[in-house]
Amino acid sequence: MAKPYDIRMSNAGIDELHTTTVIDEQGNPRDIAITGERPLTIYLDKQEIVTLMTLGTHPELLTIGYLRNQQLIDAPEDIISVQVDWEVNAAAVTTRNPDRDFSNLTAKRTVTSGCGQGTMFSHVIDSLDSLRVQCPPFSAATIYNILNQLRDYNEVYKQAGAVHGCALCNKDNIHLFIEDVGRHNAVDAIAGWMWVNHITGNDKIFYTTGRLTSEMVIKVAQMHIPLLLSRSGVTEMGLTLAKQTRIGMVARAKGRHFLVFSGKEQFIPQ
Amino acid sequence: MAKPYDIRMSNAGIDELHTTTVIDEQGNPRDIAITGERPLTIYLDKQEIVTLMTLGTHPELLTIGYLRNQQLIDAPEDIISVQVDWEVNAAAVTTRNPDRDFSNLTAKRTVTSGCGQGTMFSHVIDSLDSLRVQCPPFSAATIYNILNQLRDYNEVYKQAGAVHGCALCNKDNIHLFIEDVGRHNAVDAIAGWMWVNHITGNDKIFYTTGRLTSEMVIKVAQMHIPLLLSRSGVTEMGLTLAKQTRIGMVARAKGRHFLVFSGKEQFIPQ
C-alpha cells in the first residue's frame, strides 16, 4: 500500500454516545443511550461550502470525501491541511490553490445538486458506460465471511440505533467501517479514506445497512467498486442501474440469508 | 372542513410494485416484489426547479408540498394547476404569477439547501421560538390506538421494503398515510395535502417509520404539529430541538412498547 498523502489532519473524531432519561409505556423512567448528531461546517480556503449533520466519528475523512465527491478538489495532493474544531463545529481545509473563487463553483454546484438533480442524474445516466465495472465471481462463503466479521462492528447502532453503517471490504477482511446519521456521510467518509490512502475500488466489496436506491448505486459505481452488499432492500431503479453498470448486488443480507439481485451468473452457491 | 382549494390536478399516482427474479443464498431462483423509484422533475411556470426520486404514489401533493416547503409558492390559491405526466417524468405547475424569475430564487435556494445548510440551520434555530408548539396531554391508550390502526397501512413496506412511511393522525384516526423512497418526500406530500385542504397541525400527531433527526423535528415544527411518534430511534439534536420547540416525542414505538423522550410531563400511562 502506497504511503498516504501528506495532509496535516486534526484527529477530532468523537465516539461518544449521549445518555438521556426517558419513560416507558408504563411510566417507568429509564436511562438509555442516544446517538450524537452535530453540525459540521466545511470551509475551503476560508470560503463556507456546506454544513453537514454528522455523528462526528471521522470528520476529517468526511470533509475530504465530501469535497471529492462534489468535485470541489481535484486531487488529494492539492490538500495541505484539514483541521476540525468542535468548539465552533467547523472543518477548515487549506489547499495549494487558495485563490479559487468558490462562489461560482458553488453556484454551479447547487444548480446541480439542489436545483438540478435531474441534470446531474441525466449526466450520470449518460456517463454510466464509463462507470461500468465487472462484478467478479463471488461465493456464498465470501458473503457469510463478511457478514460474520461485521457482527463486531455496528457499535453505535447496537447501543443507540438511529445510524447507518457502511463498510469497505475485500473478500477476506473489513478494511473500514463507518457509522453516521446519514449514510451519504458514511459513504463520503469512506471515499475520503480511499482517496487519501491510494485505495482503489475494483477489488473491493461495499457493505451498507441502508437501502440500495439509485443514489447509493451511483456512488458505489463512482468508487469503481464492483460488488454491493446490503442488509436492506433495493429499489427498482437501484437494480436497473446496478445491471447497467454490471455491479453485483446482494441485498436483504442478514444472518444466514441473502438474495442476489444482479450479478447472478457470477454467484457461486456453496 | 373547508372546501379544498380549486387546483386542477392530474391524478397520476401510481401504486405498482415491480417483480424481479433473484436467487437466494442456496442458488434457488425466487420472484420477489421490489419498490418502484422514478425521477419526477418539477417545472414551475415552465422553469425547471428540481428532480425528486419518488415512489410516485402522490406526485401532485409531493410537488405542492415541496414547493411550499422550499417557499417557492406563497399560498395555495396561487396555484392554477399541477399536471403530472409519467411519459416524461414531469410535474408541470402553473401559477397566477407566471412572470416570476426563479433563476434568482433557485440560486438563493441552493445557497440555502445545497451549499448553506448551515445558514438554513441557523435561521431555523433563530426562529425556533416562533415555531414553538405545546405538546398536549397524551395517553398510552392514544399511542396504542394509533399503532394498531397503522398496522393496516405500510403496504409497500410489507411487500417490498425500501420505503419509509409517514402518517398524519389525530388521537382517534389516521388522516393520511404516505410511503415513499425518501421520508422527506413523504413529509412534503403530507404538507402539500394539509395546505390544499386547509388542515392545521396543532391538533395532530405525526407518525414516521424513520429516525427522528434534527431535520425531521424541524419539518414537523414547521407544520405546527405538537406530537411526534416514530418506530425508530432519535438523535441527540433531534431531542434537543423537540424539547426547545416543546414537541412531544415518542420513539421506538412498536407493538406494545414505546419510549417517551420529550413531553414526559404530559404523558398519561394507563
Side-chain angles (χ1 to χ4, degrees):
Chain A
M1 191 157 111
K3 195 165 160 285
Y5 287 97
D6 185 25
I7 300 171
R8 285 202 316 274
M9 282 198 268
S10 56
N11 187 12
I14 43 177
D15 225 2
E16 60 192 320
L17 289 167
H18 299 257
T19 303
T20 190
T21 304
V22 298
I23 53 179
D24 68 15
E25 63 278 356
Q26 297 173 327
N28 303 313
R30 195 191 298 181
D31 284 342
I32 66 156
I34 59 173
T35 305
E37 181 194 12
R38 55 174 76 194
L40 180 68
T41 302
I42 298 176
Y43 295 87
L44 181 52
D45 291 318
K46 301 190 178 165
Q47 295 174 70
E48 181 175 338
I49 301 295
V50 73
T51 298
L52 306 172
M53 300 303 302
T54 177
L55 182 60
T57 58
H58 298 79
E60 297 85 5
L61 295 177
L62 169 61
T63 298
I64 293 173
Y66 179 86
L67 293 173
R68 175 200 185 169
N69 286 344
Q70 297 293 320
Q71 298 172 3
L72 291 172
I73 291 185
D74 296 327
E77 52 264 46
D78 291 344
I79 308 172
I80 297 171
S81 70
V82 180
Q83 299 294 324
V84 171
D85 179 355
W86 290 117
E87 295 277 317
V88 288
N89 292 326
V93 180
T94 55
T95 75
R96 296 184 206 289
N97 318 306
D99 298 329
R100 286 198 297 164
D101 177 5
F102 294 110
S103 56
N104 276 338
L105 255 180
T106 53
K108 191 173 162 218
R109 174 64 28 211
T110 50
V111 173
T112 314
S113 71
C115 287
Q117 289 170 24
T119 312
M120 186 197 77
F121 199 76
S122 336
H123 276 185
V124 172
I125 297 289
D126 290 348
S127 68
L128 274 181
D129 284 345
S130 72
L131 291 177
R132 190 170 287 170
V133 294
Q134 178 55 54
C135 174
F138 63 100
S139 67
T142 295
I143 304 294
Y144 286 139
N145 179 36
I146 292 173
L147 293 178
N148 278 337
Q149 291 193 47
L150 282 165
R151 273 196 214 137
D152 299 333
Y153 295 86
N154 262 336
E155 278 312 310
V156 174
Y157 183 79
K158 275 182 215 149
Q159 292 181 66
V163 292
H164 277 297
C166 291
L168 186 72
C169 322
N170 66 13
K171 70 185 180 55
D172 300 313
N173 295 299
I174 315 292
H175 290 299
L176 184 66
F177 182 89
I178 293 187
E179 289 176 307
D180 210 322
V181 285
R183 62 194 161 154
H184 303 133
N185 286 349
V187 179
D188 280 348
I190 287 176
W193 184 80
M194 291 172 72
W195 217 31
V196 167
N197 292 291
H198 310 263
I199 309 291
T200 53
N202 57 334
D203 60 342
K204 300 299 184 302
I205 300 167
F206 194 90
Y207 170 83
T208 176
T209 58
R211 298 167 292 151
L212 301 179
T213 59
S214 54
E215 203 176 4
M216 272 317 265
V217 176
I218 288 169
K219 274 183 182 283
V220 166
Q222 286 172 327
M223 293 156 90
H224 309 291
I225 298 175
L227 187 53
L228 181 49
L229 177 60
S230 167
R231 188 166 65 190
S232 301
V234 310
T235 66
E236 197 242 347
M237 185 164 291
L239 177 56
T240 301
L241 296 179
K243 286 179 174 169
Q244 210 172 333
T245 51
R246 297 185 188 162
I247 289 177
M249 186 187 259
V250 179
R252 303 216 191 153
K254 212 173 171 181
R256 298 297 293 169
H257 299 291
F258 59 83
L259 298 174
V260 182
F261 283 78
S262 74
K264 286 182 271 188
E265 62 294 339
Q266 298 295 78
F267 176 59
I268 305 153
Q270 275 173 318
Chain B
M1 192 156 113
K3 197 166 160 281
Y5 287 97
D6 185 25
I7 301 171
R8 285 205 314 274
M9 283 200 268
S10 56
N11 187 13
I14 42 176
D15 224 1
E16 60 192 319
L17 288 166
H18 300 257
T19 303
T20 189
T21 304
V22 299
I23 52 180
D24 69 14
E25 64 278 355
Q26 297 173 324
N28 303 314
R30 196 191 298 180
D31 285 342
I32 66 156
I34 59 173
T35 305
E37 182 193 12
R38 56 174 75 193
L40 179 68
T41 302
I42 298 176
Y43 295 87
L44 180 51
D45 290 319
K46 299 190 179 167
Q47 296 175 69
E48 180 175 339
I49 301 295
V50 73
T51 298
L52 306 172
M53 299 303 303
T54 177
L55 182 60
T57 57
H58 298 79
E60 296 86 5
L61 295 177
L62 169 60
T63 298
I64 293 172
Y66 178 86
L67 293 173
R68 175 199 184 170
N69 286 344
Q70 296 295 319
Q71 298 172 3
L72 291 172
I73 292 185
D74 296 327
E77 52 264 45
D78 292 344
I79 309 172
I80 297 172
S81 70
V82 180
Q83 299 294 325
V84 170
D85 179 355
W86 290 117
E87 294 277 316
V88 288
N89 293 325
V93 180
T94 55
T95 75
R96 297 186 205 288
N97 319 305
D99 298 328
R100 288 199 297 164
D101 178 5
F102 294 111
S103 56
N104 277 339
L105 256 179
T106 54
K108 192 175 160 216
R109 175 64 25 211
T110 50
V111 172
T112 314
S113 72
C115 286
Q117 289 172 21
T119 313
M120 186 196 77
F121 198 78
S122 335
H123 277 185
V124 173
I125 296 288
D126 290 347
S127 67
L128 274 181
D129 284 344
S130 72
L131 292 177
R132 191 169 287 168
V133 294
Q134 179 54 56
C135 174
F138 64 99
S139 67
T142 295
I143 305 295
Y144 287 139
N145 179 36
I146 291 173
L147 293 177
N148 278 338
Q149 290 193 48
L150 282 165
R151 270 194 216 138
D152 299 333
Y153 295 87
N154 262 335
E155 277 312 310
V156 173
Y157 183 80
K158 275 181 214 149
Q159 292 181 66
V163 292
H164 277 297
C166 291
L168 185 73
C169 323
N170 65 14
K171 70 184 180 55
D172 301 312
N173 295 300
I174 315 293
H175 290 300
L176 185 65
F177 182 89
I178 292 188
E179 290 177 304
D180 209 322
V181 285
R183 63 194 160 152
H184 303 133
N185 287 349
V187 179
D188 280 347
I190 288 176
W193 184 79
M194 291 173 72
W195 217 31
V196 167
N197 292 289
H198 310 264
I199 309 291
T200 54
N202 58 333
D203 59 343
K204 301 297 184 301
I205 302 167
F206 194 90
Y207 170 83
T208 174
T209 58
R211 297 168 291 151
L212 301 180
T213 59
S214 54
E215 202 176 3
M216 273 313 267
V217 176
I218 289 168
K219 274 182 184 284
V220 167
Q222 287 173 327
M223 294 156 89
H224 309 291
I225 298 175
L227 187 52
L228 181 49
L229 177 60
S230 167
R231 188 165 67 192
S232 300
V234 310
T235 66
E236 197 243 346
M237 185 163 290
L239 177 56
T240 301
L241 295 180
K243 286 178 174 170
Q244 212 171 332
T245 51
R246 298 187 189 159
I247 289 178
M249 185 187 258
V250 178
R252 304 218 190 150
K254 213 173 169 180
R256 298 297 295 170
H257 299 292
F258 58 84
L259 298 174
V260 182
F261 282 78
S262 74
K264 286 181 272 188
E265 61 292 341
Q266 299 294 79
F267 176 59
I268 305 153
Q270 278 174 315

